[in-house]
Every structure is written in C-alpha cells, then in structure tokens.
Amino acid sequence: MAIYVSLGIQNLAVADTAVGFTLPAATVGTTYYAHCVVETASIRHTCDGTAPVATTTGTPRNIGDVFEVWGGPDLVGFKAIRETSTSGALAIEYFGVKA
C-alpha cells in the first residue's frame, strides 16, 4: 500500500483562457494526484490536453465541488476555464512520494 504525502499547494485562477496545473518544480515525476476544491465560480475542465470551451465542453464543476486528478498524463493534460463571465478559482494540493 502506497503512502502519499503532501508535496505542495497552489491557488489557480480560472478565467476566460484555459489554464493548467503548475506542479511544484521539485515534485515533477513524483506527483501522483491533485486534490482540487472549486472556489468562487463554476468551471469546466478536461484532462486530455485539449482546452475546454465555457458552457459547451469539459466536465462542469460548481462552487464547493471536490475532485481529484490522478496520474502523470492527466496532471499534465489538465486544463480549466471559467463557465460564466465570473472567474473561478481552484484550491489544489498535490500528493505523491518524497524523492
């Protein structure tokens, strides 16, 4: 059984241009997942590297939603955009193994 530890946190502003995670530099390659909480406004996201389009593509997430993104390809491919004219925010904590 793997034991994961916190590797860092990020507050990600989600506006009208798709943005991705910024993994802490020292943890690239050792990060296994991101624990995310949606704050301030609804967003949409994808994990395949394509940019979501507000109101039409991507997985919708509302204020207070909690979700996790697992695995290197999905962490690198994650993109989020606000769903309405109000910018959102994601509170993110990254977990993995200490190098």
Side-chain angles (χ1 to χ4, degrees), residues 59-81:
T59 303
R61 302 290 183 171
N62 296 308
I63 297 170
D65 282 358
V66 177
F67 64 96
E68 294 177 343
V69 177
W70 281 82
D74 286 353
L75 290 167
V76 171
F78 180 88
K79 302 279 187 221
I81 195 167

Side-chain angles (χ1 to χ4, degrees), residues 12-21 36 38 42-47 49-54 57-59 61 67 77-83 88-90 92:
L12 183 64
V14 182
D16 61 347
T17 301
V19 294
F21 292 141
C36 307
V38 180
S42 298
I43 67 166
R44 286 184 173 261
H45 73 84
T46 59
C47 291
T50 61
V53 178
T57 62
T59 303
R61 302 290 183 171
F67 64 96
F78 180 88
K79 302 279 187 221
I81 195 167
R82 68 185 186 197
E83 188 167 38
L90 279 177
I92 305 159

